[in-house]
Amino acid sequence: MTRLLLLLAIFVASPALAADPVTVASPGGTLTVAVGVNGEGRPEYSVSRLGRPVILPSRLGFLLTDAPKLERNFAVAASARRSVDETWEQPWGERRFVRNRFNELRVTLEEKSELRRRLDLVFRVYDDGVGFRYEFPLRGTSAGVRIAEELTEFALAEPATAWWIPAFQWNREEYLYNRTPLSEVGIAQTPMTVRTESGLHIAFHEAALVDYSGMNLQNEGHGRFRAVLTPSSDGPKVSRTAPFATPWRTMQIADTAGGLVTNNLILNLNEPSRLPDIRRWFTPFKYVGVWWAMHLDKETWGPGPRHGATTANVKRYIDFAAANGFRGVLVEGWNEGWNDDWFANGRDFSFTKPYPDFDIEALARYARAKGVHLIGHHETAGNIANYEAQLGPALDLYKRLGIDAVKTGYVADMGGIQALGADGRIHFEWHEGQVMARHHLKVVQEAAARHIAVNPHEPIKDTGLRRTWPNWVAREGARGMEFNAWGQPPNPPEHETNLVFTRMLAGPMDFTPGVLSLEGRGQPIQSTQAKQLALYVVIYSPIVMAADLIENYAANPRPFQFIKDVPTDWAETLVLNGEIGDYVTIARKDRNSENWYLGAVTDENGRSLAVPLAFLTAGKTYRAQIYRDGPTADYRGHGKDIVIEERLVTAADVLTLTLAPGGGEAIRFVAGGR
Ligand code: NOJ
Ligand code: CA
């Protein structure tokens, strides 16, 4: 009886009808977003495309640790609109110019209770995607906001297939992608990419993850996903002082899989560059390094008879780099602290003390005399307390020596980051929690002040912050080449065709391709040489490694020529074909010449792809330098069968690419023909 009365009371107390939602369409009218509150005053939004629902009404809000939740009893107090259509220039990238064209809707919500708290929802609607964020204004909120959970939902209107990796697992973001019905997703990391039954491609992610914790997506059933923020050791998942804005929650939406790749939503939602003159001190480059030998266990990071970072060995790499046009030489294992237990605690790492058999001063001089730069390495083992205590002097040392790029590393299991808390004690944190969002930006900013570029491994996810801080040039954040050395299992042939449409939507990856030997540590690499070359075009990064041992390049001079020729900075990028997890062909135009490059990769299935060369400038003749799988090529033991040939082509030609099982094809189109 009392329950019935209560229900009646709730029913009477809530307005019978919600006010009409406020809507905003994208500039070309493709997407429409509706924002409003339902009958209980719960904020919600929905998305439709060309009149068909894509995202059904989905809730918005927050649980707080020290105040009533922000989730119901709201009314729309105000709304405002604005439109932007601008084009901005990247310092380097997949394309030089980026168009930023959207309609924005700002909805101010106000609680109807005596709390009268306000929350702004800001939606930016593009023809190929939607971004929205929450803004906490000062009014009505106490300045300190402690978020227990974000209640953002994404309710897919249609059944779909999903490509995803699990969140909160011990090996962080280094998992093979699952391809499952949407209904079988558990808790996924982002980007999570789906293809709906009607063929729409949607990638869920976030942009501008600043001073907040990373978002994961939990399957709540019936196509509905809810944000799950990464935990923090001090209770609330996010602690902030109002006013502040959350990261953007993003949905890239396209007819084709390739439409996700050429989408600029994530970059556009980030703030403009804070380093407008960066091209004066950094330009994209390729590098070799003392690295693969350690993963093969031929050399060691730590001191001893097989120590890799010796003065003599590094000189060999510098000579090789100079002779073959590589700007960078990465050296790992150069500094004290690589004891047997380094990954368990990381507390012995010194970032200023080289091992005695590594003459850093002499090597830096030797490199610079040959136009080569050493690339620094700061493996922290996740002990950021130890790293931050040395950060200034560590970067000063590099600056003094002309070492203008550093690879950082955070090898630690989930929840294994060691950070210094406000209480002066060590706290254990997650790689994608708020503490790490702050840490990475701190390193990037300290490095920028010294004109040093940063490339973190075991990083926080990429959310497009390279637009604001372009010295954050690349990162790892997925299974890279190293898994082919020792991974159980190694990367299967479909891996890169998954990465392109998932992880790579977030931003550049330091994948470290180019292992022409096709040999891991006692296990074959499931690839072909032609595919190793194609990866230089397919996987974008402004810094790209030629990962193999230099003696293996010396032994394979003909395919190595492509690695020497391929640039790492592009004027334009086109996806010519592709299906997630199956195959993809990408064409990119060099930023510094009229040349084009093409890379195609396939999964375990061989296939033929007809590729019209319409992207080339009409009327021009190009010399197509083709690196393709030979007739017996196969990732199961015949990866070195490669055919290298040249022919003249024009924009009117159609090339048929024949990819071997697990194979690929790389082409350099040299403008000007004969
Ligand atoms: C993992 C990184 O991905 C790899 O590139 C590096 O060599 C090791 N950590 C050691 O720092
Ligand atoms: Ca496949």
Side-chain angles (χ1 to χ4, degrees):
M1 181 63 174
T2 28
R3 197 178 295 161
L4 185 67
L5 275 179
L6 195 69
L7 275 175
L8 268 175
I10 289 171
F11 187 70
V12 173
S14 48
L17 278 174
D20 280 347
V22 195
T23 63
V24 54
S26 61
T30 310
L31 295 177
T32 303
V33 171
V35 190
V37 294
N38 74 3
E40 296 173 309
R42 294 183 197 269
E44 55 183 33
Y45 76 97
S46 59
V47 181
S48 60
R49 186 173 192 271
L50 303 172
R52 288 176 64 154
V54 175
I55 301 292
L56 300 174
S58 299
R59 286 186 185 177
L60 300 162
F62 294 91
L63 298 180
L64 305 173
T65 61
D66 57 353
K69 64 181 176 178
L70 289 161
E71 198 221 358
R72 49 176 290 163
N73 214 13
F74 279 100
V76 174
S79 66
R81 289 160 192 282
R82 116 189 139 94
S83 298
V84 168
D85 186 359
E86 63 185 11
T87 297
W88 56 279
E89 184 176 4
Q90 298 208 74
W92 48 79
E94 304 92 319
R95 58 185 47 79
R96 181 163 177 185
F97 296 104
V98 177
R99 187 168 182 192
N100 184 27
R101 180 173 176 238
F102 63 85
N103 289 332
E104 180 181 285
L105 172 66
R106 173 182 292 271
V107 174
T108 300
L109 301 173
E110 186 176 301
E111 268 180 321
K112 289 181 281 176
S113 72
E114 71 285 357
L115 289 172
R116 296 257 162 235
R117 290 175 299 183
R118 283 195 160 195
L119 191 61
D120 275 14
L121 305 171
V122 182
F123 282 80
R124 289 194 183 163
V125 188
Y126 294 73
D127 284 315
D128 58 1
V130 175
F132 64 90
R133 72 180 184 190
Y134 303 86
E135 293 185 14
F136 283 79
L138 265 180
R139 206 191 111 171
T141 357
S142 68
V145 176
R146 278 165 286 274
I147 296 171
E149 192 57 279
E150 187 178 311
L151 301 175
T152 307
E153 285 183 346
F154 306 86
L156 275 134
E158 271 187 87
T161 303
W163 286 263
W164 60 285
I165 54 172
F168 305 125
Q169 298 296 312
W170 73 272
N171 208 17
R172 310 168 313 272
E173 66 287 351
E174 293 171 10
Y175 286 88
L176 292 172
Y177 276 82
N178 296 312
R179 170 198 190 126
T180 70
L182 188 68
S183 57
E184 288 173 20
V185 177
I187 304 185
Q189 302 193 44
T190 73
M192 174 175 86
T193 303
V194 308
R195 183 172 66 217
T196 69
E197 251 174 18
S198 67
L200 203 58
H201 294 74
I202 312 171
F204 298 90
H205 190 46
E206 58 183 309
L209 170 49
V210 177
D211 202 1
Y212 202 84
S213 101
M215 178 184 75
N216 304 284
L217 295 173
Q218 172 161 325
N219 185 356
E220 302 207 297
H222 309 286
R224 193 168 287 270
F225 284 76
R226 184 171 61 72
V228 181
L229 298 179
T230 304
S232 164
S233 69
D234 68 355
K237 291 179 167 181
V238 176
S239 301
R240 289 291 294 270
T241 304
F244 73 93
T246 68
W248 296 94
R249 278 59 190 96
T250 61
M251 288 165 271
Q252 290 157 276
I253 304 174
D255 278 329
T256 60
L260 297 177
V261 177
T262 48
N263 182 300
N264 298 305
L265 181 71
I266 307 288
L267 281 176
N268 273 331
L269 290 172
N270 275 273
E271 297 295 321
S273 177
R274 301 274 286 272
L275 307 171
D277 70 341
I278 190 167
R279 253 192 107 90
R280 273 195 240 140
W281 53 268
F282 179 90
T283 44
F285 62 77
K286 287 173 292 189
Y287 68 101
V288 291
V290 178
W291 180 77
W292 185 240
M294 273 91 101
H295 288 274
L296 295 180
D297 204 26
K298 291 185 183 221
E299 293 171 2
T300 59
W301 282 275
R306 289 186 293 126
H307 188 209
T310 65
T311 304
N313 196 26
V314 173
K315 270 195 175 155
R316 238 172 28 100
Y317 273 80
I318 293 171
D319 292 344
F320 181 86
N324 292 286
F326 292 85
R327 184 188 191 271
V329 174
L330 169 70
V331 187
E332 298 198 359
W334 66 277
N335 59 321
E336 282 186 10
W338 291 91
N339 52 41
D340 288 346
D341 232 11
W342 64 268
F343 49 84
N345 56 62
R347 76 179 153 235
D348 295 332
F349 281 123
S350 162
F351 300 102
T352 49
K353 289 193 199 128
Y355 281 123
D357 55 351
F358 179 75
D359 188 343
I360 192 169
E361 306 270 345
L363 284 167
R365 270 197 310 274
Y366 184 77
R368 291 187 75 183
K370 298 195 159 208
V372 171
H373 291 242
L374 294 177
I375 298 174
H377 185 229
H378 289 163
E379 175 56 65
T380 69
N383 190 333
I384 65 166
N386 180 43
Y387 186 35
E388 289 189 2
Q390 302 181 52
L391 186 60
L395 294 173
D396 286 344
L397 172 71
Y398 281 168
K399 182 179 167 62
R400 183 168 66 72
L401 295 173
I403 298 175
D404 50 8
V406 57
K407 169 175 171 177
T408 57
Y410 299 88
V411 173
D413 292 345
M414 63 169 175
I417 294 288
Q418 300 176 58
L420 193 62
D423 57 3
R425 297 169 53 179
I426 293 294
H427 290 243
F428 287 88
E429 303 288 350
W430 293 72
H431 282 72
E432 298 202 325
Q434 187 181 11
V435 165
M436 286 307 274
R438 285 185 184 156
H439 168 76
H440 282 286
L441 267 187
K442 177 184 174 127
V443 174
V444 164
Q445 289 169 11
E446 290 287 333
R450 295 166 178 84
H451 290 187
I452 294 173
V454 184
N455 167 28
H457 278 227
E458 303 77 48
I460 195 163
K461 67 171 103 172
D462 196 340
T463 57
L465 284 165
R466 64 181 158 131
R467 179 174 178 194
T468 315
W469 297 102
N471 69 314
W472 197 341
V473 287
R475 76 190 79 198
E476 189 187 42
R479 270 172 157 248
M481 179 64 76
E482 63 189 24
F483 274 80
N484 290 330
W486 39 255
Q488 295 301 330
N491 296 330
E494 69 161 16
H495 183 55
E496 297 89 350
T497 63
N498 283 327
L499 286 181
V500 167
F501 301 103
T502 52
R503 159 67 183 83
M504 296 311 299
L505 302 179
M509 178 176 176
D510 187 32
F511 180 83
T512 70
V515 178
L516 298 181
S517 68
L518 300 176
E519 279 163 25
R521 190 196 297 177
Q523 61 185 22
I525 296 182
Q526 301 183 37
S527 177
T528 66
Q529 281 192 345
K531 182 175 188 175
Q532 288 299 306
L533 302 182
L535 292 175
Y536 284 85
V537 183
V538 167
I539 295 187
Y540 170 68
S541 174
I543 59 163
V544 183
M545 189 173 201
D548 210 343
L549 307 178
I550 53 179
E551 46 271 37
N552 291 336
Y553 290 130
N556 291 281
R558 294 183 68 237
F560 182 50
Q561 186 61 44
F562 184 82
I563 300 178
K564 291 205 277 185
D565 290 337
V566 69
T568 63
D569 190 9
W570 308 102
E572 192 48 86
T573 289
L574 306 170
V575 179
L576 303 181
N577 57 44
E579 290 295 344
I580 311 171
D582 296 339
Y583 65 95
V584 64
T585 305
I586 296 184
R588 304 193 198 259
K589 182 178 175 294
D590 182 16
R591 176 152 162 175
N592 299 304
S593 75
E594 288 306 304
N595 299 344
W596 280 82
Y597 291 77
L598 176 150
V601 294
T602 180
D603 61 4
E604 69 284 0
N605 300 305
R607 61 186 91 227
S608 251
L609 301 169
V611 173
L613 302 184
F615 55 88
L616 299 174
T617 303
K620 250 194 194 153
T621 303
Y622 295 78
R623 270 188 296 132
Q625 300 169 346
I626 299 171
Y627 299 75
R628 62 177 173 84
D629 290 324
T632 69
D634 191 305
Y635 73 92
R636 290 157 296 201
H638 292 279
K640 288 187 183 158
D641 182 5
I642 188 168
V643 174
I644 302 173
E645 63 193 6
E646 189 168 298
R647 53 181 277 202
L648 294 180
V649 297
T650 70
D653 287 317
V654 176
L655 284 187
T656 300
L657 316 182
T658 306
L659 312 181
E665 182 157 337
I667 307 179
R668 176 181 190 225
F669 297 94
V670 183
R674 285 148 241 280

